[in-house]
């Protein structure tokens, strides 16, 4: 690619020899800001602006409620369908950006439950790789720590919850 650019440069400027042109080519690269992968849930993702979050929630939810708690703005809905299953969703906004996403699925039975659990684990592993799994009594956690913060899928006998927080992991 660089050789091709040098040849084009020499063809455009015949007064410069190829030896001179290769010494004048400089490549500068810089990484301005790294953003870790942020998996979307029906177009909702961490870091999105408040206006976009309201537009998407209005589009995907039948009912939603807005609460102001201290410095947080909570946007909640109990009427969304994610990964083909009914769910409750809560967005926590701080400084006009989505800071936390909490998704709680309705109680599921049989294949719907195990299918959703496996789909969520595969979905997160596609973005973050293999996470850490641990069990606390009847609750199983699958956790991924990124530069953004903690991404967690937790499930018990019939309940499934996804918790995604933007922010530094706790020490």
């Amino acid at each position: 690619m660089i050789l091709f650019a040098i040849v084009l440069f020499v063809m455009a400027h015949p007064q410069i020899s190829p030896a001179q042109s290769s010494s004048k080519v400089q490549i500068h690269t810089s990484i301005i800001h790294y953003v870790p992968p942020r998996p979307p849930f029906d177009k909702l993702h961490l870091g999105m602006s408040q206006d976009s979050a309201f537009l998407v929630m209005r589009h995907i939810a039948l009912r939603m409620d807005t609460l102001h708690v201290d410095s947080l703005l909570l946007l909640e809905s109990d009427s969304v369908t994610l990964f083909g299953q009914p769910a409750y969703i809560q967005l926590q906004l701080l400084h006009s950006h989505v800071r936390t996403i909490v998704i709680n699925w309705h109680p599921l039975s049989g294949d719907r439950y195990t299918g959703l659990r496996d789909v969520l684990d595969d979905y997160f592993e596609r973005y973050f790789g293999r996470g850490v799994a641990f069990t606390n009594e009847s609750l199983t956690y699958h956790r991924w720590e990124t530069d953004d913060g903690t991404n967690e899928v937790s499930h018990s006998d019939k309940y499934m919850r996804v918790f995604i927080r933007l922010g530094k992991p706790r020490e």
Side-chain angles (χ1 to χ4, degrees):
M1 184 73 177
I2 295 172
L3 182 60
F4 181 70
I6 292 171
V7 171
L8 287 178
F9 182 77
V10 171
M11 290 174 59
H13 298 73
Q15 68 275 13
I16 300 176
S17 70
Q20 290 174 330
S21 64
S22 64
S23 65
K24 292 184 185 262
V25 174
Q26 295 180 357
I27 299 172
H28 296 283
T29 59
S30 63
I31 298 174
I32 297 171
H33 182 68
Y34 170 72
V35 177
R38 295 174 175 168
F41 291 92
D42 208 0
K43 301 178 186 149
L44 294 169
H45 60 86
L46 292 178
M48 75 185 311
S49 69
Q50 179 175 333
D51 295 339
S52 298
F54 272 94
L55 285 173
V56 171
M57 283 293 278
R58 232 179 267 133
H59 185 266
I60 65 171
L62 298 174
R63 296 178 303 274
M64 66 180 184
D65 192 18
T66 306
L67 304 165
H68 294 276
V69 179
D70 295 329
S71 60
L72 285 178
L73 175 66
L74 301 177
L75 185 57
E76 297 180 333
S77 176
D78 64 347
S79 55
V80 298
T81 302
L82 295 170
F83 294 104
Q85 302 299 330
Y88 304 105
I89 191 166
Q90 180 188 72
L91 302 177
Q92 297 176 9
L93 294 99
L94 181 66
H95 304 299
S96 299
H97 286 85
V98 175
R99 189 83 173 158
T100 304
I101 300 173
V102 179
I103 303 168
N104 287 307
W105 274 270
H106 295 274
L108 301 170
S109 61
D111 291 339
R112 292 179 11 174
Y113 173 78
T114 56
L116 178 63
R117 181 192 65 204
D118 295 342
V119 164
L120 286 172
D121 285 340
D122 290 342
Y123 186 67
F124 274 99
E125 285 180 5
R126 200 172 339 142
Y127 280 94
F128 304 120
R130 200 161 168 93
V132 176
F134 59 94
T135 305
N136 184 2
E137 296 182 17
S138 68
L139 195 59
T140 303
Y141 298 92
H142 298 269
R143 189 172 286 166
W144 295 265
E145 297 286 343
T146 66
D147 291 342
D148 268 349
T150 303
N151 298 277
E152 180 181 288
V153 176
S154 58
H155 51 85
S156 64
D157 295 338
K158 290 187 180 179
Y159 293 96
M160 182 79 62
R161 176 177 170 248
V162 174
F163 177 79
I164 308 168
R165 182 186 66 213
L166 180 62
K168 296 298 175 194
R170 291 185 180 157
E171 303 298 315

